[in-house]
Amino acid sequence: MSDTILDVRDIVVEYTTSREPARAVDHVSFTLDRGEFLGIVGESGCGKSTMLFAIAQLLTPPAQLVSGEVIFKGRNMVGLRGGELRSIRWRDYSVVMQSAMNALNPVKTVGAQFEDTMRAHGQGKTAGIRARSREVMALVGIDAIHLKSYPHQLSGGMRQRVMIAMALLLSPDLVVMDEPTSALDVVAQRSLMVQIKDLQKKLGFAVIFVTHDMSLVGHFSDRLAVMYAGKIVEIGPTRPLFAAPQHPYTRGLLESFPSVYGPKVQLKGIPGSPPDLTDLPSGCRFRPRCGQVMPRCAEIEPDLYPSGDTRSRCLLFEERA
Ligand SMILES: Nc1ncnc2c1ncn2[C@@H]1O[C@H](COP(=O)(O)OP(=O)(O)OP(=O)(O)O)[C@@H](O)[C@H]1O
């Protein structure tokens, strides 16, 4: 039996604008195995959150899924109606957003919100709801007393943990996370990441984790997908991708972040900024910022080619395809 839990097939998402539509996700495909931790990285505006929303079926206008399929546990989620989706969300997959303050209801206690979620999925027994609520709070290291707290009574780190506890209430097989640590200071960020990883190993759920901070997911993900201007430009196992990044954009990204280990090196960054999605350069989208640009890069839009242990969307690797 296949171990694939999620099969994202050729998805295209566009935002309607007053000019051309902005194609924020442009023919993206990948699969995710049960229990796997996939990091999605890239600069701000490259389409990471839009892709996550497309997978979780949470897109709202002006964004729309133009084409593609999202096969989750063997079923295409694209086109499922509200009721069908509601029965899958939280139970089979859950979503942890950037800001728990926006995702949690400010006028309900944490416990009441857990109860609503569980009752909406057919858990009728109050004793069972209370026990499970205490259990998930213990999983994320928060005293059950805070089931009586309102979101504003908790620190930022506690709120994010509460969101994770809520995401785990119904033991889903997949948790998608959109920069869940971005509002926290560096120390709180690391400790939350360690906790997410521990929970994932213990409970066995798969994770898709979106972040612009490559060094953050470097220690925790099994595989990484690097996005640039709506496309995956490199994808592969995390370790080799970090040790020997192949795509010039991945190399630039890695050189933009200080490494926790290894010698001190000058941080370089990537010159310029990502292109306007309504006015893309011809050929390779990264071409105007690339240090290894060749004349052909303006003419040919590269495919994903095998490149070392990863696959890269760069003509440097074309002959190996
Ligand atoms: N409401 C909107 N209307 C029009 N275009 C939008 C809208 N929201 C996003 N976009 C377009 O989609 C692109 C991708 O946005 P998205 O938020 O998915 O990127 P991201 O990589 O997640 O960025 P960040 O890390 O800042 O969250 C943006 O660059 C922008 O061009």
Side-chain angles (χ1 to χ4, degrees):
M1 201 183 94
S2 157
D3 228 14
T4 304
I5 189 167
L6 180 74
D7 187 356
V8 176
R9 293 185 185 162
D10 211 24
I11 56 171
V12 175
V13 181
E14 290 181 348
Y15 287 90
T16 311
T17 72
S18 52
R19 298 177 294 154
E20 293 291 300
R23 185 168 283 192
V25 180
D26 194 0
H27 295 284
V28 166
S29 301
F30 65 87
T31 59
L32 183 76
D33 282 347
R34 272 189 186 277
E36 192 181 17
F37 193 129
L38 175 72
I40 312 257
V41 297
E43 282 164 294
S44 189
C46 67
K48 307 180 297 292
S49 303
T50 307
M51 186 178 76
L52 208 72
F53 273 56
I55 291 168
Q57 304 300 303
L58 289 170
L59 290 175
T60 49
Q64 64 156 333
L65 186 79
V66 175
S67 57
E69 294 181 331
V70 178
I71 315 288
F72 175 58
K73 292 170 85 174
R75 184 179 189 193
N76 188 7
M77 298 218 286
V78 175
L80 287 188
R81 281 191 296 267
E84 292 170 306
L85 268 178
R86 270 194 297 279
S87 75
I88 302 176
R89 201 175 290 146
W90 298 108
R91 192 192 66 202
D92 293 309
Y93 75 92
S94 56
V95 186
V96 179
M97 295 296 183
Q98 229 166 71
S99 162
M101 206 52 194
N102 298 338
L104 292 167
N105 186 337
V107 297
K108 280 196 168 184
T109 63
V110 169
Q113 295 184 57
F114 284 10
E115 184 170 343
D116 287 351
T117 305
M118 291 177 86
R119 286 206 191 277
H121 285 86
Q123 315 263 333
K125 297 218 171 75
T126 303
I129 290 172
R130 293 218 174 115
R132 181 62 184 156
S133 300
R134 281 196 294 273
E135 210 168 85
V136 289
M137 289 291 266
L139 279 176
V140 298
I142 299 184
D143 195 300
I145 191 119
H146 289 295
L147 285 167
K148 294 201 177 99
S149 299
Y150 289 88
H152 72 269
Q153 295 172 314
L154 306 172
S155 72
M158 284 167 93
R159 278 199 292 271
Q160 290 304 119
R161 285 188 158 81
V162 162
M163 270 310 297
I164 291 165
M166 186 144 142
L168 299 179
L169 264 178
L170 303 170
S171 308
D173 296 307
L174 170 66
V175 183
V176 299
M177 304 194 182
D178 187 8
E179 308 237 23
T181 65
S182 63
L184 309 177
D185 64 65
V186 177
V187 177
Q189 247 182 23
R190 289 272 154 192
S191 100
L192 187 59
M193 280 309 291
V194 169
Q195 190 157 48
I196 291 170
K197 186 68 196 175
D198 284 351
L199 287 170
Q200 187 234 348
K201 276 200 278 193
K202 188 162 145 192
L203 305 174
F205 52 87
V207 174
I208 302 180
F209 191 102
V210 157
T211 177
H212 62 273
D213 183 348
M214 242 183 133
S215 61
L216 188 70
V217 274
H219 298 287
F220 303 99
S221 60
D222 302 307
R223 250 182 339 136
L224 277 180
V226 182
M227 277 190 83
Y228 186 74
K231 283 195 178 281
I232 290 182
V233 296
E234 184 162 0
I235 183 163
T238 302
R239 227 169 243 259
L241 195 144
F242 258 76
Q246 301 289 313
H247 195 286
Y249 179 61
T250 315
R251 286 208 298 276
L253 267 188
L254 274 169
E255 285 166 2
S256 318
F257 286 101
S259 169
V260 181
Y261 307 110
K264 277 189 192 160
V265 288
Q266 183 78 35
L267 293 182
K268 289 195 190 131
I270 307 168
S273 47
D276 177 349
L277 294 174
T278 62
D279 186 17
L280 291 166
S282 64
C284 172
R285 294 166 186 203
F286 186 57
R287 165 173 70 84
R289 304 172 73 189
C290 182
Q292 287 175 274
V293 66
M294 310 176 281
R296 282 176 351 105
C297 300
E299 289 151 26
I300 302 166
E301 195 169 345
D303 218 331
L304 273 175
Y305 310 112
S307 55
D309 289 319
T310 68
R311 287 187 300 139
S312 294
R313 195 176 292 284
C314 176
L315 292 179
L316 289 172
F317 308 104
E318 188 188 16
E319 71 279 10
R320 298 192 209 165

